[in-house]
Amino acid sequence: MPPRIACLLVPNLPLHAEIRAHPDLATGPLAVASGPESRAEIIAASPAARSAGVQSTHSVAQARAACPELRVRVASPALERAAREALLDVALSLSPRAEIAPRTPGLFFSEGKVFLDASGIQGLFHSEQGFASALLARSEAQGLPGLVAVASSRSVSLLAARHRMSGGPPLHCLPREAEASFLAPLALDLFDPDDRLAQALTRLGIHTVRDLLRLPRRGLAQRLGPGVLALLARARGEDADSALPEPTSTRVEEAIDLENPVDHLEPLGFILRGLISRLCERLALRGLACGALDLRMRLEGGAQDARRIGLAAPSLDLRVLLRLTTLALAERAPHAPIEQIALGSEGIPSRTDQLDLFLPRGPDPAALGRTLTELESICGEGRVGMPQVLDHHDPLGFALGPFTPPGRESPSPAPGPLPAPLPALRAIRPPLPAEVRVHGGKPAFVRSAVAQGDVVVAAGPWRTTGYWWSEEERFALDHFDLQVSDGSVIRLGFDWIKRSWQIDGIYD
Amino acid sequence: MPPGPLPARAPSPRGQTSPGDRIQQLLDDFGPRLQAGEALRKVRKQQAGPARQASGIAAIDELLEGGFSRGELSEITGPASSGRTSLLLSLLATTTTTTTTGGRPSAGGGAELAALVDTPDAFDPPSARAAGVDLRRILWARVSPWSEAMRCTERLLETEGLPLVVLDLAQSRGPSPGARSETRIPRSAWIRLARRAAASRTALVVLGEECRAGEQARVALELQPARARFTGFPPLLEEIETRALLVRAPGAGRHRSVSVRLGPASPGAKSFG
């Protein structure tokens, strides 16, 4: 089956990248300039600005003179890169193979484009037209309105999409047999030849594909330069590019350059909300969830601040992710105003669960993941998870691991009858200091916030020591189980390192 | 119409009546019973009682008529060393381990997840493991103060498929100045939790020194410490004896009490495998 390639093309990408990040700019005349100074060149203008007389060749001062209510934004490479990558995510939501087309320096430098494999899509979309419509709708939902063309090669699909820039419906599905007749009348400018070649062709009166294909091939490269052979191949609809690749990375990043440095958490919250929202939308397009957030900030003066915000489970919950991010920033605020902020995440597939016929259904893994993330945002990092018993003798030691419950088919660790209910220990963390009177080597009286009175029965001591080689972790404890006259049954320890008595648990 | 015995009908040879007549004949035969809804009533009666989450302590389960109700809020109260935590761990063990019947997992029994919202940070994993709890199925949230604990509990109750959520509000470090006012939880918060538990069919068990949920708790079990038994020489803590009093329960079960011994020799621990 001959390959079919779709091209999703967004003209004026810098403009749409700005509107995507600042939706309030969608109304009214807007232009994007190459720099902050008044002589900077306008590189993209909205239809409202163009109808008011703003042109791409204008300087900012000229544009403002033509349209006094014009809002001018300085082009943000970070926003543009994110928008370009968002196009790839849109493409990958509908096709397994897609690639971002490199940015061209010439006439079409402000366009963003992505190629995707459209072979064999009839089973899903019935027609190429349906596929192109879906692609266009998803792109528009991401704030990137564009044009879609489907053809048998990258170059033809790109030309067909560019051809639609001048007018007509935004979709164009070109059958293979109609490509030659479609290409023939096209102006060579759509191929964006380099300046030298364009001048040479103009001198010779060659303006369309048809004119170019009429030229004798002998000695053509010697007369017009080697670039003409590539142009000829593209004019014939031949594609020299390699096959479209499958993506290997699931990393997604959104970034924004701030026009005015931000040094307060409150305005930063609005910016973060937008970043996280766009990040989640892109991950959702690829059927992934956010694994952990990497927050990078460029501060005034050039310093960098990077931090990683771990999540208990993959999540796409905007509210929870925003809360975790603001908590992380509130905990350790950046030491200088922020100039640029970038938020990245490795996309992780959501958890799935195999149901069992004989056992009740457990929580949906995705819902459980959302709950875990939200719990962590309430309790704090490292305070939600699965309890673990450490493999050493420290009686106070425990760990909290990530909550990844086993499947229902996984048996209990020690199958057999459940042990009879035992007097369980209720831990006191950190241990509570106690005043103790000793008689005959054993505690005889205890005074503390949890127990006070004469010791009725004392069992012990049991000595545990460990980690003698580590100054921070070493422990040496003598433990007693005591029944105190006030009715409480406690675990009292003598810490040989601190040389003090402490209660670290109540039998309850 | 009261259901009665099926009327005897003369057998009619196949082919002599039309399908429409046969359907009419069946409706005549079974109609009264169908309209009376006998079978439906029987099924509804079976489903009327809430599902129970057994505690694993026979005497307590008997007192609670099978265990803690799913979809309802229950309270376990009592002072320190009254056996609240031992009861809790036994409940967690029966929830998280697989119950078997004839070598096969019994329907609706065990290997399920349970969540523990631990306000005093008092959960002791080694004790839980010794009590038979499958720690891999415990979601432990260490959270304070109580307002955040209530949020956590509410969020957990919104997650369908968790049969048991435990909210531990018992103080572990003794009374502190202002502690009483800190733990005075508004009634509206309990109403919300009880409604969420009912919606998600989750057994919500609250642990504390005294009843806090008021009438929102369908069952309140008060544990009163009786004595601790040390045996042998040198002495070893063998068991804690406690008295479980049902201070709140639907129906006639109120004010009944049982004596429970929490120790290796305690009778009536259910067998799971």
Side-chain angles (χ1 to χ4, degrees):
Chain A
M1 196 164 84
R4 298 292 288 165
I5 305 290
C7 173
L8 169 62
L9 183 140
V10 178
N12 280 332
L13 187 73
L15 185 86
H16 295 299
E18 286 290 339
I19 295 172
R20 181 171 171 261
H22 309 100
D24 55 304
L25 294 175
T27 54
L30 172 71
V32 178
S34 60
E37 63 277 5
S38 59
R39 283 180 304 173
E41 196 181 337
I42 298 292
I43 55 173
S46 68
R50 282 201 299 271
S51 62
V54 178
Q55 292 175 15
S56 291
T57 49
H58 278 165
S59 66
V60 172
Q62 286 171 316
R64 283 197 198 282
C67 179
E69 63 274 20
L70 182 72
R71 284 187 286 182
V72 180
R73 306 281 300 187
V74 178
S76 161
L79 277 184
E80 212 177 307
R81 189 171 52 247
R84 225 173 267 279
E85 287 170 3
L87 275 183
L88 179 66
D89 293 324
V90 168
L92 288 172
S93 72
L94 291 174
S95 172
R97 284 178 288 277
E99 190 177 53
I100 299 176
R103 194 175 171 175
T104 48
L107 195 60
F108 300 100
F109 75 98
S110 67
E111 72 185 14
K113 49 194 177 283
V114 61
F115 296 112
L116 58 153
D117 191 351
S119 310
I121 45 85
Q122 278 78 5
L124 285 171
F125 297 94
H126 303 297
S127 66
E128 286 184 347
Q129 197 77 19
F131 172 75
S133 300
L135 187 61
L136 202 61
R138 289 198 186 182
S139 181
E140 275 179 17
Q142 289 297 306
L144 299 166
L147 306 154
V148 176
V150 186
S152 60
S153 66
R154 293 187 210 195
S155 61
V156 179
S157 63
L158 175 62
L159 287 170
R162 276 182 184 164
H163 182 60
R164 292 287 171 169
M165 281 165 67
S166 53
L171 305 175
H172 193 185
C173 299
L174 200 57
R176 190 180 178 83
E177 56 277 9
E179 283 180 6
S181 57
F182 165 75
L183 289 171
L186 287 187
L188 286 174
D189 288 345
L190 286 179
F191 290 82
D192 195 19
D194 60 62
D195 288 349
R196 205 174 140 213
L197 181 60
Q199 282 170 6
L201 290 170
T202 310
R203 265 202 316 273
L204 293 171
I206 297 163
H207 301 290
T208 64
V209 172
R210 189 181 291 119
D211 300 338
L212 182 69
L213 293 178
R214 277 185 193 145
L215 290 176
R217 289 193 67 184
R218 185 184 290 269
L220 200 59
Q222 284 171 341
R223 279 183 285 159
L224 297 173
V228 76
L229 296 181
L231 185 65
L232 259 177
R234 288 169 64 200
R236 286 199 191 96
E238 295 165 5
D239 206 344
D241 293 315
S242 54
L244 287 167
E246 277 189 37
T248 51
S249 169
T250 57
R251 187 167 179 78
V252 171
E253 186 167 298
E254 281 288 331
I256 191 165
D257 295 307
L258 305 175
E259 287 202 328
N260 300 307
V262 175
D263 55 357
H264 285 90
L265 276 184
E266 202 177 325
L268 197 60
F270 290 101
I271 296 160
L272 284 171
R273 174 179 282 275
L275 283 174
I276 296 172
S277 163
R278 295 196 292 277
L279 193 81
C280 289
E281 279 174 16
R282 284 176 56 192
L283 285 168
L285 277 173
R286 294 176 69 171
L288 300 169
C290 184
L293 287 169
D294 294 315
L295 181 65
R296 275 190 294 109
M297 290 166 287
R298 193 182 68 214
L299 308 178
E300 209 170 47
Q304 293 281 341
D305 184 333
R307 50 188 88 183
R308 190 175 179 81
I309 302 156
L311 301 181
S315 174
L316 282 177
D317 193 322
L318 170 65
R319 194 164 51 96
V320 171
L321 295 176
L322 181 62
R323 188 183 152 88
L324 283 171
T325 314
T326 46
L327 277 176
L329 283 170
E331 207 171 84
R332 185 164 56 90
H335 61 81
I338 302 162
E339 283 183 339
Q340 188 199 56
I341 186 160
L343 203 58
S345 174
E346 201 67 48
I348 291 178
S350 298
R351 290 178 190 166
T352 53
D353 192 19
Q354 175 66 55
L355 299 180
D356 192 294
L357 278 177
F358 300 102
L359 291 173
R361 185 172 167 248
D364 169 46
L368 185 63
R370 284 195 295 275
T371 303
L372 283 172
T373 314
E374 193 158 344
L375 288 188
E376 196 168 74
S377 77
I378 298 170
C379 305
E381 200 174 340
R383 292 188 68 83
V384 178
M386 181 187 292
Q388 290 170 346
V389 178
L390 297 176
D391 187 19
H392 64 58
H393 298 290
D394 183 359
L396 309 178
F398 71 96
L400 196 59
F403 187 67
T404 46
R408 252 75 54 82
E409 74 287 354
S410 174
S412 304
L418 269 185
L422 297 167
L425 190 77
R426 198 169 171 77
I428 298 178
R429 299 190 185 100
L432 207 59
E435 191 184 321
V436 177
R437 279 207 296 271
V438 181
H439 183 74
K442 289 203 169 183
F445 177 83
V446 179
R447 181 184 290 153
S448 76
V450 293
Q452 182 168 333
D454 293 322
V455 173
V456 180
V457 188
W462 292 280
R463 177 164 294 177
T464 45
T465 61
Y467 286 103
W468 49 266
W469 58 90
S470 165
E471 193 67 37
E472 294 81 30
E473 292 180 80
R474 67 184 174 141
F475 62 89
L477 291 157
D478 277 353
H479 271 116
F480 295 88
D481 290 339
L482 306 179
Q483 186 176 15
V484 186
S485 59
D486 67 356
S488 52
V489 186
I490 59 170
R491 188 168 79 175
L492 177 76
F494 183 76
D495 189 332
W496 282 98
I497 293 163
K498 294 178 188 161
R499 303 198 74 80
S500 63
W501 290 96
Q502 59 185 32
I503 298 173
D504 53 36
I506 301 174
Y507 288 101
D508 181 40
Chain B
M1 189 185 290
L6 287 177
R9 296 184 71 94
S12 54
R14 191 182 170 81
Q16 288 185 5
T17 52
S18 67
D21 289 341
R22 284 208 296 275
I23 290 169
Q24 188 58 49
Q25 187 179 321
L26 281 170
L27 280 174
D28 290 345
D29 290 348
F30 292 104
R33 289 192 175 194
L34 288 173
Q35 283 169 19
E38 259 185 316
L40 189 64
R41 255 210 311 275
K42 200 180 278 180
V43 170
R44 279 190 180 156
K45 195 175 174 185
Q46 282 169 356
Q47 291 177 345
R52 304 278 173 171
Q53 199 67 39
S55 73
I57 300 173
I60 302 259
D61 286 341
E62 201 175 314
L63 188 69
L64 297 174
E65 294 174 354
F68 293 94
S69 306
R70 289 196 185 183
E72 289 179 357
L73 193 160
S74 309
E75 278 192 287
I76 303 172
T77 62
S81 300
S82 61
R84 300 161 304 176
T85 312
S86 305
L87 173 58
L88 167 66
L89 294 189
S90 182
L91 177 63
L92 290 175
T94 52
T95 307
T96 56
T97 46
T98 314
T99 58
T100 54
T101 310
R104 295 173 63 184
S106 54
E112 296 186 88
L113 305 182
L116 170 64
V117 180
D118 189 3
T119 317
D121 198 10
F123 183 69
D124 184 45
S127 283
R129 192 172 65 174
V133 178
D134 186 352
L135 293 177
R136 301 171 305 167
R137 292 186 165 95
I138 298 289
L139 170 55
W140 183 19
R142 303 164 67 201
V143 60
S144 64
W146 65 264
S147 52
E148 299 293 292
M150 298 300 266
R151 277 182 66 199
C152 279
T153 311
E154 208 171 324
R155 188 66 189 85
L156 284 163
L157 291 172
E158 283 170 11
T159 311
E160 282 188 36
L162 279 174
L164 174 67
V165 173
V166 178
L167 171 60
D168 188 346
L169 291 171
Q171 295 285 330
S172 275
R173 304 181 66 82
S176 58
R180 187 68 189 86
S181 61
E182 268 175 30
T183 49
R184 194 170 292 142
I185 298 166
R187 187 169 162 266
S188 56
W190 291 116
I191 293 174
R192 265 206 316 275
L193 288 190
R195 283 186 182 162
R196 296 254 190 242
S200 60
R201 308 279 302 155
T202 301
L204 171 61
V205 178
V206 179
L207 215 70
E209 281 88 18
E210 55 188 15
C211 291
R212 288 200 176 97
E215 70 274 19
Q216 296 310 315
R218 291 272 291 168
V219 169
L221 189 69
E222 187 182 311
L223 300 183
Q224 299 161 345
R227 67 187 182 105
R229 203 155 72 93
F230 288 73
T231 55
F233 186 83
L236 291 174
L237 175 62
E238 182 78 8
E239 65 177 29
I240 289 178
E241 200 174 313
T242 190
R243 187 161 189 77
L245 172 68
L246 204 53
V247 292
R248 184 188 290 276
R254 203 173 158 190
H255 296 310
R256 283 196 296 136
S257 68
V258 288
S259 182
V260 182
R261 286 161 63 184
L262 302 164
S266 86
K270 281 183 181 168
S271 183
F272 297 90

